[in-house]
Structures are given as structure tokens and as C-alpha cells.
Amino acid sequence: MATIQCRYHRYVVNDYDPAYNVKFISSDGRFEVVYNIETGQMVTDPVNMGTYNIAPGSIVPWTRIVTL
């Protein structure tokens, strides 16, 4: 996952360094999980944990449709 796409899972917390958070997304684009590669643990705090993507724009980026 590109760093720009992980920026929302890197808020500062006291328990670990969020700069080491890495996000993984399921093949259908709905589920996310965040791991901290420094600790090797899945991130479960509500500030940085993975989410369920319900909005269509979060799964398939919006593209401009041109009709002629």
C-alpha cells in the first residue's frame, strides 16, 4: 500500500510508533487490516485500526466518463 494511502492510519498514540503502520486491503476492497511492522502486531486501537469500506468511491476510484 502506498504511504499516501496509509496516512489515515498513522495518528500518534502512546503505545507504539504509528510511523511503522502498514495497511493491507482485501481483494474485494472492502476490508482493511493495519499491522505495526515494528511490533509485529495487528493494530486494534480505534484511532488507527483497519476499517470496512462501504462507500463505492473507497473501493474503485472515481473516473470521469466521457460520452460523445
Short mmCIF file of all heavy atoms in Angstrom, two decimals:
data_model
loop_
_atom_site.label_atom_id
_atom_site.label_comp_id
_atom_site.label_asym_id
_atom_site.label_seq_id
_atom_site.Cartn_x
_atom_site.Cartn_y
_atom_site.Cartn_z
N MET A 1 0.85 -1.17 0.00
CA MET A 1 0.00 0.00 0.00
C MET A 1 0.90 1.23 0.00
O MET A 1 1.84 1.32 0.75
CB MET A 1 -0.87 -0.04 1.24
CG MET A 1 -1.74 1.15 1.47
SD MET A 1 -3.21 1.36 0.48
CE MET A 1 -3.69 -0.23 -0.01
N ALA A 2 0.60 2.19 -0.84
CA ALA A 2 1.37 3.42 -0.90
C ALA A 2 1.25 4.20 0.41
O ALA A 2 0.22 4.16 1.07
CB ALA A 2 0.89 4.28 -2.07
N THR A 3 2.31 4.89 0.76
CA THR A 3 2.33 5.67 2.00
C THR A 3 1.19 6.66 2.05
O THR A 3 0.56 6.84 3.08
CB THR A 3 3.67 6.41 2.15
OG1 THR A 3 4.70 5.44 2.13
CG2 THR A 3 3.71 7.18 3.44
N ILE A 4 0.88 7.30 0.94
CA ILE A 4 -0.19 8.29 0.92
C ILE A 4 -1.53 7.66 1.30
O ILE A 4 -2.37 8.27 1.93
CB ILE A 4 -0.28 9.00 -0.46
CG1 ILE A 4 -1.20 10.21 -0.41
CG2 ILE A 4 -0.73 8.04 -1.54
CD1 ILE A 4 -0.60 11.41 0.22
N GLN A 5 -1.73 6.39 0.96
CA GLN A 5 -2.98 5.72 1.28
C GLN A 5 -3.03 5.25 2.72
O GLN A 5 -4.09 4.89 3.21
CB GLN A 5 -3.19 4.55 0.33
CG GLN A 5 -3.39 5.02 -1.10
CD GLN A 5 -3.44 3.87 -2.08
OE1 GLN A 5 -2.74 2.88 -1.91
NE2 GLN A 5 -4.27 4.00 -3.08
N CYS A 6 -1.90 5.23 3.41
CA CYS A 6 -1.86 4.80 4.81
C CYS A 6 -1.90 5.97 5.78
O CYS A 6 -1.89 5.78 6.98
CB CYS A 6 -0.60 4.00 5.08
SG CYS A 6 -0.54 2.45 4.21
N ARG A 7 -1.94 7.17 5.28
CA ARG A 7 -1.81 8.34 6.14
C ARG A 7 -2.87 8.43 7.22
O ARG A 7 -2.64 8.98 8.28
CB ARG A 7 -1.78 9.62 5.32
CG ARG A 7 -3.08 9.96 4.66
CD ARG A 7 -2.97 11.26 3.87
NE ARG A 7 -4.20 11.52 3.17
CZ ARG A 7 -4.36 11.40 1.87
NH1 ARG A 7 -3.35 11.04 1.13
NH2 ARG A 7 -5.51 11.64 1.31
N TYR A 8 -4.05 7.87 7.00
CA TYR A 8 -5.11 7.96 7.99
C TYR A 8 -4.96 6.93 9.11
O TYR A 8 -5.71 6.92 10.03
CB TYR A 8 -6.48 7.80 7.33
CG TYR A 8 -6.73 8.90 6.32
CD1 TYR A 8 -6.85 8.60 4.98
CD2 TYR A 8 -6.81 10.22 6.72
CE1 TYR A 8 -7.07 9.60 4.04
CE2 TYR A 8 -7.03 11.23 5.80
CZ TYR A 8 -7.16 10.91 4.46
OH TYR A 8 -7.37 11.90 3.54
N HIS A 9 -3.98 6.06 8.99
CA HIS A 9 -3.75 5.03 10.00
C HIS A 9 -2.44 5.29 10.74
O HIS A 9 -1.81 4.37 11.22
CB HIS A 9 -3.75 3.65 9.34
CG HIS A 9 -5.05 3.33 8.69
ND1 HIS A 9 -6.14 2.87 9.40
CD2 HIS A 9 -5.45 3.42 7.40
CE1 HIS A 9 -7.14 2.69 8.56
NE2 HIS A 9 -6.76 3.02 7.35
N ARG A 10 -2.04 6.55 10.82
CA ARG A 10 -0.77 6.91 11.43
C ARG A 10 -0.90 8.03 12.46
O ARG A 10 0.02 8.83 12.63
CB ARG A 10 0.23 7.29 10.35
CG ARG A 10 0.58 6.11 9.48
CD ARG A 10 1.70 6.40 8.57
NE ARG A 10 2.06 5.16 7.86
CZ ARG A 10 3.11 5.03 7.13
NH1 ARG A 10 3.93 6.03 6.97
NH2 ARG A 10 3.37 3.90 6.53
N TYR A 11 -2.01 8.09 13.14
CA TYR A 11 -2.17 9.10 14.18
C TYR A 11 -1.39 8.70 15.42
O TYR A 11 -1.33 7.52 15.78
CB TYR A 11 -3.65 9.29 14.52
CG TYR A 11 -4.43 9.92 13.38
CD1 TYR A 11 -5.29 9.15 12.61
CD2 TYR A 11 -4.28 11.26 13.07
CE1 TYR A 11 -6.00 9.72 11.56
CE2 TYR A 11 -4.98 11.83 12.01
CZ TYR A 11 -5.84 11.05 11.27
OH TYR A 11 -6.52 11.62 10.22
N VAL A 12 -0.79 9.67 16.08
CA VAL A 12 0.08 9.41 17.22
C VAL A 12 -0.71 8.84 18.40
O VAL A 12 -1.76 9.35 18.76
CB VAL A 12 0.81 10.71 17.64
CG1 VAL A 12 1.63 10.49 18.89
CG2 VAL A 12 1.68 11.21 16.50
N VAL A 13 -0.16 7.78 18.95
CA VAL A 13 -0.70 7.14 20.16
C VAL A 13 0.47 6.87 21.10
O VAL A 13 1.62 6.94 20.70
CB VAL A 13 -1.45 5.82 19.84
CG1 VAL A 13 -2.70 6.09 19.04
CG2 VAL A 13 -0.55 4.86 19.10
N ASN A 14 0.17 6.55 22.35
CA ASN A 14 1.23 6.34 23.34
C ASN A 14 1.82 4.94 23.33
O ASN A 14 2.93 4.73 23.78
CB ASN A 14 0.72 6.65 24.75
CG ASN A 14 0.39 8.11 24.91
OD1 ASN A 14 1.03 8.96 24.31
ND2 ASN A 14 -0.63 8.41 25.70
N ASP A 15 1.10 3.94 22.82
CA ASP A 15 1.51 2.55 22.94
C ASP A 15 2.55 2.10 21.92
O ASP A 15 3.27 1.13 22.16
CB ASP A 15 0.30 1.63 22.85
CG ASP A 15 -0.69 1.91 23.96
OD1 ASP A 15 -0.28 2.41 25.01
OD2 ASP A 15 -1.88 1.62 23.75
N TYR A 16 2.64 2.75 20.77
CA TYR A 16 3.55 2.32 19.71
C TYR A 16 3.78 3.48 18.75
O TYR A 16 3.08 4.49 18.79
CB TYR A 16 2.98 1.10 18.96
CG TYR A 16 1.64 1.39 18.34
CD1 TYR A 16 1.54 1.90 17.05
CD2 TYR A 16 0.47 1.18 19.04
CE1 TYR A 16 0.32 2.20 16.50
CE2 TYR A 16 -0.77 1.46 18.49
CZ TYR A 16 -0.82 1.97 17.21
OH TYR A 16 -2.03 2.27 16.66
N ASP A 17 4.75 3.34 17.87
CA ASP A 17 5.06 4.38 16.89
C ASP A 17 4.25 4.13 15.61
O ASP A 17 4.52 3.17 14.88
CB ASP A 17 6.56 4.35 16.57
CG ASP A 17 6.99 5.47 15.65
OD1 ASP A 17 6.12 6.18 15.11
OD2 ASP A 17 8.21 5.63 15.47
N PRO A 18 3.26 4.95 15.32
CA PRO A 18 2.39 4.73 14.16
C PRO A 18 3.08 4.92 12.82
O PRO A 18 2.52 4.57 11.79
CB PRO A 18 1.25 5.72 14.37
CG PRO A 18 1.85 6.80 15.19
CD PRO A 18 2.85 6.13 16.08
N ALA A 19 4.29 5.45 12.81
CA ALA A 19 5.03 5.59 11.55
C ALA A 19 5.32 4.23 10.94
O ALA A 19 5.58 4.13 9.74
CB ALA A 19 6.32 6.35 11.79
N TYR A 20 5.25 3.17 11.74
CA TYR A 20 5.51 1.81 11.27
C TYR A 20 4.23 1.07 10.88
O TYR A 20 4.28 -0.13 10.64
CB TYR A 20 6.27 1.02 12.34
CG TYR A 20 7.67 1.52 12.55
CD1 TYR A 20 7.96 2.38 13.61
CD2 TYR A 20 8.70 1.14 11.71
CE1 TYR A 20 9.25 2.85 13.81
CE2 TYR A 20 9.99 1.60 11.90
CZ TYR A 20 10.25 2.46 12.95
OH TYR A 20 11.52 2.92 13.14
N ASN A 21 3.10 1.75 10.83
CA ASN A 21 1.85 1.10 10.46
C ASN A 21 1.79 0.86 8.96
O ASN A 21 2.15 1.72 8.16
CB ASN A 21 0.65 1.95 10.87
CG ASN A 21 0.44 1.95 12.36
OD1 ASN A 21 1.13 1.26 13.11
ND2 ASN A 21 -0.51 2.73 12.81
N VAL A 22 1.33 -0.34 8.60
CA VAL A 22 1.17 -0.72 7.20
C VAL A 22 -0.24 -1.27 7.02
O VAL A 22 -0.69 -2.09 7.82
CB VAL A 22 2.21 -1.80 6.80
CG1 VAL A 22 2.01 -2.22 5.36
CG2 VAL A 22 3.62 -1.30 7.02
N LYS A 23 -0.93 -0.80 5.99
CA LYS A 23 -2.32 -1.21 5.75
C LYS A 23 -2.38 -2.24 4.63
O LYS A 23 -1.73 -2.10 3.60
CB LYS A 23 -3.17 0.00 5.38
CG LYS A 23 -4.62 -0.33 5.07
CD LYS A 23 -5.47 0.90 4.88
CE LYS A 23 -5.13 1.68 3.66
NZ LYS A 23 -6.10 2.75 3.37
N PHE A 24 -3.22 -3.27 4.83
CA PHE A 24 -3.49 -4.27 3.81
C PHE A 24 -4.99 -4.25 3.53
O PHE A 24 -5.80 -4.09 4.46
CB PHE A 24 -3.08 -5.66 4.29
CG PHE A 24 -1.60 -5.78 4.54
CD1 PHE A 24 -1.07 -5.51 5.79
CD2 PHE A 24 -0.74 -6.15 3.51
CE1 PHE A 24 0.30 -5.61 6.03
CE2 PHE A 24 0.61 -6.25 3.74
CZ PHE A 24 1.14 -5.99 5.00
N ILE A 25 -5.36 -4.43 2.26
CA ILE A 25 -6.76 -4.38 1.86
C ILE A 25 -7.13 -5.70 1.19
O ILE A 25 -6.35 -6.25 0.41
CB ILE A 25 -7.01 -3.21 0.87
CG1 ILE A 25 -6.62 -1.89 1.53
CG2 ILE A 25 -8.46 -3.19 0.41
CD1 ILE A 25 -6.72 -0.70 0.61
N SER A 26 -8.33 -6.21 1.49
CA SER A 26 -8.80 -7.45 0.89
C SER A 26 -8.95 -7.29 -0.61
O SER A 26 -9.05 -6.18 -1.13
CB SER A 26 -10.13 -7.87 1.51
OG SER A 26 -11.13 -6.92 1.22
N SER A 27 -8.98 -8.41 -1.32
CA SER A 27 -9.06 -8.36 -2.78
C SER A 27 -10.31 -7.68 -3.31
O SER A 27 -10.30 -7.12 -4.40
CB SER A 27 -8.95 -9.78 -3.36
OG SER A 27 -10.01 -10.58 -2.90
N ASP A 28 -11.39 -7.70 -2.54
CA ASP A 28 -12.61 -7.01 -2.99
C ASP A 28 -12.64 -5.55 -2.57
O ASP A 28 -13.58 -4.82 -2.89
CB ASP A 28 -13.87 -7.73 -2.50
CG ASP A 28 -14.04 -7.70 -0.99
OD1 ASP A 28 -13.19 -7.13 -0.28
OD2 ASP A 28 -15.04 -8.28 -0.51
N GLY A 29 -11.63 -5.09 -1.86
CA GLY A 29 -11.52 -3.68 -1.47
C GLY A 29 -12.36 -3.28 -0.28
O GLY A 29 -12.38 -2.12 0.10
N ARG A 30 -13.05 -4.19 0.34
CA ARG A 30 -13.95 -3.85 1.45
C ARG A 30 -13.27 -3.83 2.81
O ARG A 30 -13.56 -2.98 3.63
CB ARG A 30 -15.11 -4.85 1.50
CG ARG A 30 -16.04 -4.76 0.33
CD ARG A 30 -17.06 -3.69 0.55
NE ARG A 30 -18.00 -3.67 -0.56
CZ ARG A 30 -18.76 -2.65 -0.81
NH1 ARG A 30 -18.72 -1.59 -0.06
NH2 ARG A 30 -19.59 -2.67 -1.82
N PHE A 31 -12.40 -4.79 3.07
CA PHE A 31 -11.82 -4.94 4.41
C PHE A 31 -10.38 -4.44 4.46
O PHE A 31 -9.62 -4.64 3.52
CB PHE A 31 -11.86 -6.41 4.84
CG PHE A 31 -13.23 -6.96 4.93
CD1 PHE A 31 -13.78 -7.66 3.87
CD2 PHE A 31 -13.99 -6.79 6.08
CE1 PHE A 31 -15.07 -8.18 3.95
CE2 PHE A 31 -15.27 -7.30 6.16
CZ PHE A 31 -15.81 -7.99 5.09
N GLU A 32 -10.03 -3.80 5.57
CA GLU A 32 -8.67 -3.35 5.81
C GLU A 32 -8.16 -3.95 7.11
O GLU A 32 -8.94 -4.18 8.03
CB GLU A 32 -8.60 -1.83 5.97
CG GLU A 32 -9.03 -1.04 4.78
CD GLU A 32 -9.00 0.45 5.07
OE1 GLU A 32 -8.74 0.86 6.22
OE2 GLU A 32 -9.25 1.21 4.14
N VAL A 33 -6.86 -4.16 7.18
CA VAL A 33 -6.21 -4.51 8.43
C VAL A 33 -4.91 -3.72 8.47
O VAL A 33 -4.28 -3.50 7.45
CB VAL A 33 -5.96 -6.04 8.56
CG1 VAL A 33 -5.00 -6.54 7.49
CG2 VAL A 33 -5.47 -6.39 9.94
N VAL A 34 -4.56 -3.25 9.65
CA VAL A 34 -3.34 -2.47 9.83
C VAL A 34 -2.42 -3.22 10.78
O VAL A 34 -2.85 -3.66 11.84
CB VAL A 34 -3.66 -1.06 10.39
CG1 VAL A 34 -2.38 -0.27 10.62
CG2 VAL A 34 -4.58 -0.31 9.45
N TYR A 35 -1.17 -3.38 10.36
CA TYR A 35 -0.15 -4.00 11.20
C TYR A 35 0.94 -2.98 11.49
O TYR A 35 1.24 -2.15 10.64
CB TYR A 35 0.48 -5.21 10.51
CG TYR A 35 -0.38 -6.44 10.56
CD1 TYR A 35 -1.25 -6.73 9.53
CD2 TYR A 35 -0.31 -7.30 11.64
CE1 TYR A 35 -2.05 -7.86 9.58
CE2 TYR A 35 -1.10 -8.42 11.70
CZ TYR A 35 -1.97 -8.71 10.67
OH TYR A 35 -2.76 -9.82 10.72
N ASN A 36 1.50 -3.07 12.67
CA ASN A 36 2.65 -2.25 13.02
C ASN A 36 3.88 -3.14 12.82
O ASN A 36 4.06 -4.13 13.52
CB ASN A 36 2.57 -1.76 14.46
CG ASN A 36 3.70 -0.83 14.80
OD1 ASN A 36 4.80 -1.27 15.09
ND2 ASN A 36 3.44 0.46 14.74
N ILE A 37 4.71 -2.80 11.82
CA ILE A 37 5.83 -3.68 11.49
C ILE A 37 6.96 -3.60 12.52
O ILE A 37 7.82 -4.47 12.53
CB ILE A 37 6.36 -3.40 10.06
CG1 ILE A 37 6.81 -1.96 9.89
CG2 ILE A 37 5.30 -3.77 9.03
CD1 ILE A 37 7.50 -1.67 8.57
N GLU A 38 6.95 -2.61 13.38
CA GLU A 38 7.95 -2.53 14.45
C GLU A 38 7.63 -3.55 15.54
O GLU A 38 8.52 -4.25 16.04
CB GLU A 38 7.99 -1.13 15.04
CG GLU A 38 9.04 -0.95 16.12
CD GLU A 38 9.05 0.46 16.69
OE1 GLU A 38 7.97 1.03 16.92
OE2 GLU A 38 10.17 0.97 16.89
N THR A 39 6.35 -3.68 15.89
CA THR A 39 5.95 -4.61 16.95
C THR A 39 5.52 -5.97 16.40
O THR A 39 5.49 -6.95 17.13
CB THR A 39 4.78 -4.05 17.77
OG1 THR A 39 3.62 -3.95 16.92
CG2 THR A 39 5.11 -2.69 18.37
N GLY A 40 5.15 -6.02 15.11
CA GLY A 40 4.65 -7.25 14.51
C GLY A 40 3.22 -7.56 14.89
O GLY A 40 2.72 -8.65 14.61
N GLN A 41 2.52 -6.62 15.50
CA GLN A 41 1.16 -6.83 15.98
C GLN A 41 0.14 -6.13 15.10
O GLN A 41 0.41 -5.07 14.52
CB GLN A 41 1.02 -6.29 17.41
CG GLN A 41 1.93 -6.95 18.41
CD GLN A 41 1.56 -8.40 18.63
OE1 GLN A 41 0.39 -8.74 18.78
NE2 GLN A 41 2.56 -9.27 18.61
N MET A 42 -1.07 -6.71 15.04
CA MET A 42 -2.17 -6.05 14.37
C MET A 42 -2.61 -4.86 15.22
O MET A 42 -2.68 -4.97 16.44
CB MET A 42 -3.35 -7.01 14.20
CG MET A 42 -4.51 -6.40 13.47
SD MET A 42 -5.82 -7.57 13.04
CE MET A 42 -6.38 -8.07 14.66
N VAL A 43 -2.87 -3.74 14.58
CA VAL A 43 -3.30 -2.53 15.29
C VAL A 43 -4.80 -2.65 15.57
O VAL A 43 -5.60 -2.84 14.66
CB VAL A 43 -3.01 -1.28 14.44
CG1 VAL A 43 -3.56 -0.03 15.10
CG2 VAL A 43 -1.52 -1.15 14.18
N THR A 44 -5.15 -2.55 16.87
CA THR A 44 -6.56 -2.69 17.26
C THR A 44 -7.11 -1.46 17.96
O THR A 44 -8.29 -1.45 18.33
CB THR A 44 -6.74 -3.91 18.19
OG1 THR A 44 -5.91 -3.74 19.33
CG2 THR A 44 -6.39 -5.20 17.46
N ASP A 45 -6.28 -0.43 18.14
CA ASP A 45 -6.83 0.77 18.78
C ASP A 45 -7.76 1.47 17.80
O ASP A 45 -7.53 1.47 16.60
CB ASP A 45 -5.71 1.69 19.27
CG ASP A 45 -5.02 2.41 18.14
OD1 ASP A 45 -5.54 3.45 17.69
OD2 ASP A 45 -3.96 1.93 17.69
N PRO A 46 -8.84 2.06 18.28
CA PRO A 46 -9.84 2.67 17.39
C PRO A 46 -9.32 3.84 16.56
O PRO A 46 -9.92 4.19 15.55
CB PRO A 46 -10.92 3.16 18.35
CG PRO A 46 -10.62 2.60 19.68
CD PRO A 46 -9.22 2.11 19.67
N VAL A 47 -8.21 4.42 16.94
CA VAL A 47 -7.67 5.57 16.21
C VAL A 47 -7.04 5.14 14.89
O VAL A 47 -7.18 5.81 13.88
CB VAL A 47 -6.64 6.33 17.08
CG1 VAL A 47 -5.99 7.44 16.31
CG2 VAL A 47 -7.31 6.86 18.33
N ASN A 48 -6.34 4.02 14.88
CA ASN A 48 -5.55 3.61 13.71
C ASN A 48 -5.94 2.28 13.10
O ASN A 48 -5.36 1.88 12.10
CB ASN A 48 -4.07 3.56 14.10
CG ASN A 48 -3.50 4.93 14.33
OD1 ASN A 48 -3.68 5.83 13.54
ND2 ASN A 48 -2.82 5.10 15.45
N MET A 49 -6.89 1.56 13.66
CA MET A 49 -7.22 0.23 13.16
C MET A 49 -7.83 0.26 11.77
O MET A 49 -8.28 1.31 11.29
CB MET A 49 -8.18 -0.46 14.12
CG MET A 49 -9.53 0.21 14.24
SD MET A 49 -10.53 -0.49 15.55
CE MET A 49 -11.33 -1.80 14.67
N GLY A 50 -7.81 -0.88 11.10
CA GLY A 50 -8.41 -1.00 9.78
C GLY A 50 -9.91 -0.79 9.84
O GLY A 50 -10.53 -0.86 10.90
N THR A 51 -10.51 -0.55 8.69
CA THR A 51 -11.93 -0.24 8.62
C THR A 51 -12.62 -1.12 7.57
O THR A 51 -11.97 -1.84 6.82
CB THR A 51 -12.15 1.23 8.23
OG1 THR A 51 -11.55 1.46 6.96
CG2 THR A 51 -11.57 2.17 9.27
N TYR A 52 -13.93 -1.02 7.52
CA TYR A 52 -14.73 -1.65 6.48
C TYR A 52 -15.16 -0.55 5.53
O TYR A 52 -15.74 0.46 5.95
CB TYR A 52 -15.96 -2.34 7.09
CG TYR A 52 -16.85 -2.97 6.04
CD1 TYR A 52 -16.51 -4.19 5.47
CD2 TYR A 52 -18.01 -2.34 5.62
CE1 TYR A 52 -17.31 -4.77 4.50
CE2 TYR A 52 -18.82 -2.92 4.66
CZ TYR A 52 -18.46 -4.13 4.10
OH TYR A 52 -19.26 -4.69 3.15
N ASN A 53 -14.85 -0.69 4.25
CA ASN A 53 -15.15 0.34 3.26
C ASN A 53 -16.50 0.07 2.61
O ASN A 53 -16.64 -0.84 1.82
CB ASN A 53 -14.05 0.36 2.19
CG ASN A 53 -12.72 0.71 2.78
OD1 ASN A 53 -12.60 1.65 3.55
ND2 ASN A 53 -11.70 -0.04 2.45
N ILE A 54 -17.47 0.90 2.95
CA ILE A 54 -18.82 0.72 2.41
C ILE A 54 -19.08 1.62 1.22
O ILE A 54 -19.85 1.28 0.34
CB ILE A 54 -19.86 0.95 3.53
CG1 ILE A 54 -21.21 0.42 3.09
CG2 ILE A 54 -19.92 2.39 3.95
CD1 ILE A 54 -22.22 0.30 4.19
N ALA A 55 -18.42 2.77 1.16
CA ALA A 55 -18.65 3.72 0.08
C ALA A 55 -18.00 3.24 -1.21
O ALA A 55 -16.85 2.82 -1.21
CB ALA A 55 -18.08 5.08 0.47
N PRO A 56 -18.71 3.28 -2.33
CA PRO A 56 -18.15 2.81 -3.60
C PRO A 56 -16.85 3.52 -3.99
O PRO A 56 -15.96 2.91 -4.53
CB PRO A 56 -19.26 3.11 -4.61
CG PRO A 56 -20.49 3.21 -3.82
CD PRO A 56 -20.08 3.72 -2.46
N GLY A 57 -16.72 4.79 -3.70
CA GLY A 57 -15.52 5.54 -4.05
C GLY A 57 -14.29 5.07 -3.31
O GLY A 57 -13.17 5.32 -3.73
N SER A 58 -14.48 4.39 -2.20
CA SER A 58 -13.33 3.90 -1.44
C SER A 58 -12.81 2.58 -2.02
O SER A 58 -11.74 2.13 -1.68
CB SER A 58 -13.70 3.70 0.03
OG SER A 58 -14.69 2.70 0.16
N ILE A 59 -13.59 1.96 -2.90
CA ILE A 59 -13.19 0.68 -3.48
C ILE A 59 -12.62 0.89 -4.88
O ILE A 59 -11.54 0.44 -5.20
CB ILE A 59 -14.39 -0.29 -3.52
CG1 ILE A 59 -14.88 -0.53 -2.10
CG2 ILE A 59 -14.02 -1.58 -4.21
CD1 ILE A 59 -16.23 -1.18 -2.04
N VAL A 60 -13.38 1.57 -5.73
CA VAL A 60 -12.94 1.84 -7.10
C VAL A 60 -12.86 3.34 -7.25
O VAL A 60 -13.87 4.03 -7.13
CB VAL A 60 -13.94 1.27 -8.13
CG1 VAL A 60 -13.49 1.59 -9.54
CG2 VAL A 60 -14.10 -0.23 -7.92
N PRO A 61 -11.65 3.86 -7.48
CA PRO A 61 -11.54 5.32 -7.61
C PRO A 61 -12.46 5.85 -8.71
O PRO A 61 -12.62 5.22 -9.75
CB PRO A 61 -10.08 5.53 -7.98
CG PRO A 61 -9.40 4.27 -7.59
CD PRO A 61 -10.41 3.18 -7.68
N TRP A 62 -13.06 6.99 -8.45
CA TRP A 62 -13.96 7.61 -9.41
C TRP A 62 -13.18 7.97 -10.66
O TRP A 62 -12.08 8.49 -10.61
CB TRP A 62 -14.57 8.86 -8.81
CG TRP A 62 -15.53 9.52 -9.73
CD1 TRP A 62 -16.82 9.19 -9.94
CD2 TRP A 62 -15.27 10.65 -10.57
NE1 TRP A 62 -17.39 10.03 -10.86
CE2 TRP A 62 -16.46 10.93 -11.26
CE3 TRP A 62 -14.15 11.43 -10.82
CZ2 TRP A 62 -16.57 11.97 -12.19
CZ3 TRP A 62 -14.25 12.45 -11.73
CH2 TRP A 62 -15.44 12.72 -12.40
N THR A 63 -13.73 7.68 -11.80
CA THR A 63 -13.12 8.06 -13.06
C THR A 63 -14.13 8.85 -13.87
O THR A 63 -15.34 8.65 -13.75
CB THR A 63 -12.67 6.83 -13.88
OG1 THR A 63 -13.81 5.98 -14.08
CG2 THR A 63 -11.58 6.05 -13.15
N ARG A 64 -13.64 9.71 -14.66
CA ARG A 64 -14.50 10.55 -15.49
C ARG A 64 -15.00 9.75 -16.68
O ARG A 64 -14.24 9.14 -17.41
CB ARG A 64 -13.73 11.77 -15.95
CG ARG A 64 -14.56 12.73 -16.72
CD ARG A 64 -13.78 13.97 -17.04
NE ARG A 64 -14.61 14.87 -17.80
CZ ARG A 64 -14.13 15.80 -18.59
NH1 ARG A 64 -12.85 15.99 -18.70
NH2 ARG A 64 -14.93 16.58 -19.24
N ILE A 65 -16.29 9.77 -16.88
CA ILE A 65 -16.90 9.07 -18.03
C ILE A 65 -17.24 10.11 -19.07
O ILE A 65 -17.96 11.07 -18.80
CB ILE A 65 -18.16 8.31 -17.60
CG1 ILE A 65 -17.79 7.26 -16.56
CG2 ILE A 65 -18.83 7.68 -18.80
CD1 ILE A 65 -18.98 6.59 -15.92
N VAL A 66 -16.72 9.92 -20.27
CA VAL A 66 -16.94 10.87 -21.35
C VAL A 66 -17.88 10.21 -22.35
O VAL A 66 -17.64 9.10 -22.82
CB VAL A 66 -15.61 11.24 -22.03
CG1 VAL A 66 -15.88 12.19 -23.21
CG2 VAL A 66 -14.67 11.85 -21.04
N THR A 67 -18.97 10.90 -22.67
CA THR A 67 -19.89 10.41 -23.70
C THR A 67 -19.80 11.32 -24.91
O THR A 67 -19.67 12.53 -24.79
CB THR A 67 -21.33 10.36 -23.18
OG1 THR A 67 -21.70 11.66 -22.72
CG2 THR A 67 -21.46 9.37 -22.04
N LEU A 68 -19.87 10.72 -26.07
CA LEU A 68 -19.79 11.50 -27.30
C LEU A 68 -21.12 11.58 -27.97
O LEU A 68 -21.95 10.77 -27.91
CB LEU A 68 -18.77 10.87 -28.25
CG LEU A 68 -17.36 10.76 -27.68
CD1 LEU A 68 -16.48 10.01 -28.66
CD2 LEU A 68 -16.80 12.15 -27.45
#
